């Protein structure tokens, strides 16, 4: 798996963001049975940076904790048949990896939410990566059923990595 990280904001969380993101992403892919080597882009930004992107892409005039931009269309979560059928559109021609998409995380929100929810910054960052990875694999939380399914998947990943609350 290739994880391309860009850090445009220098808030120090006291955790190894690259190592944690890679651990969580690999665990999600393992649990979801992804049959391909993958590529993901991760941007670490501030509340101001994610606010601009949230406004530009979602017409939401506020900062958020994480944004996900999937590059693969799914018939159902983690149904990789579309990728297989559209190989030219979603695989990196140089590496042969499936490009899943982009994750953007506000480091300010990681710190704020860790304090707000009473757990560590490592757990909060890992949760946001897991949440976003599931979005990149076709999960959503628009209905109660979808939300419950996504929450169960997130919990399983964090449990297997011993990164629970």
């Amino acid at each position: 798996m290739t994880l391309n990280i860009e850090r445009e904001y220098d808030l120090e969380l006291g955790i190894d963001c690259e190592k944690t993101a890679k651990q969580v992403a690999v665990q999600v892919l393992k649990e979801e049975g992804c049959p391909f080597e993958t590529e993901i882009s991760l941007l670490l930004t501030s509340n101001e940076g994610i606010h601009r992107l949230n406004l530009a892409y979602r017409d939401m005039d506020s900062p958020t904790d994480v944004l996900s931009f999937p590059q693969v269309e799914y018939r159902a979560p983690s149904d990789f048949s579309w990728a297989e059928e559209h190989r030219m559109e979603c695989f990196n021609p140089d590496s042969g990896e499936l490009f899943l998409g982009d994750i953007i995380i506000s480091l300010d929100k990681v710190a704020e939410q860790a304090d707000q929810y009473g757990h560590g910054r490592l757990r909060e960052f890992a949760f946001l990566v897991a949440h976003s990875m599931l979005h990149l694999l076709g999960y959503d939380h628009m209905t109660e059923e979808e939300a419950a399914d996504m929450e169960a998947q997130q919990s399983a990943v964090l449990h297997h990595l011993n990164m629970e609350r």
Side-chain angles (χ1 to χ4, degrees):
M1 183 191 86
T2 300
L3 178 63
N4 301 308
I5 296 183
E6 180 182 345
R7 190 177 192 123
E8 69 174 21
Y9 183 55
D10 288 329
L11 179 66
E12 183 53 52
L13 295 176
I15 63 173
D16 185 335
C17 290
E18 183 171 355
K19 177 183 172 190
T20 303
K22 193 156 194 160
Q23 266 185 310
V24 172
V26 166
Q27 187 66 34
V28 169
L29 293 168
K30 177 181 171 185
E31 293 196 21
E32 293 300 311
C34 181
F36 306 109
E37 288 297 316
T38 60
E39 180 179 350
I40 299 153
S41 291
L42 172 61
L43 173 64
L44 303 176
T45 190
S46 63
N47 276 349
E48 182 182 309
I50 208 164
H51 185 168
R52 281 191 310 271
L53 295 167
N54 203 21
L55 183 59
Y57 292 101
R58 297 180 60 226
D59 203 27
M60 305 280 290
D61 194 10
S62 63
T64 188
D65 51 5
V66 63
L67 292 170
S68 310
F69 296 98
Q71 295 300 306
V72 178
E73 294 182 27
Y74 298 89
R75 293 182 182 108
S78 295
D79 174 0
F80 296 97
S81 61
W82 188 90
E84 293 167 2
E85 295 167 10
H86 296 85
R87 199 167 232 347
M88 296 297 291
E89 298 168 33
C90 51
F91 284 82
N92 181 324
D94 297 325
S95 68
E97 294 175 314
L98 173 63
F99 183 64
L100 292 176
D102 302 299
I103 298 171
I104 302 164
I105 294 177
S106 166
L107 297 178
D108 291 324
K109 288 289 185 186
V110 171
E112 291 168 19
Q113 290 175 177
D115 292 343
Q116 179 182 355
Y117 298 127
H119 53 247
R121 292 174 174 188
L122 175 68
R123 191 272 177 199
E124 184 63 24
F125 183 78
F127 170 82
L128 293 176
V129 173
H131 182 87
S132 193
M133 281 294 300
L134 290 170
H135 277 306
L136 296 187
L137 296 177
Y139 284 86
D140 212 338
H141 43 79
M142 299 304 286
T143 68
E144 285 184 31
E145 185 178 319
E146 288 174 339
D149 189 28
M150 194 167 177
E151 288 169 17
Q153 300 307 99
Q154 290 164 174
S155 294
V157 167
L158 296 176
H159 173 76
H160 289 129
L161 294 171
N162 294 314
M163 294 182 182
E164 299 166 290
R165 289 183 187 196

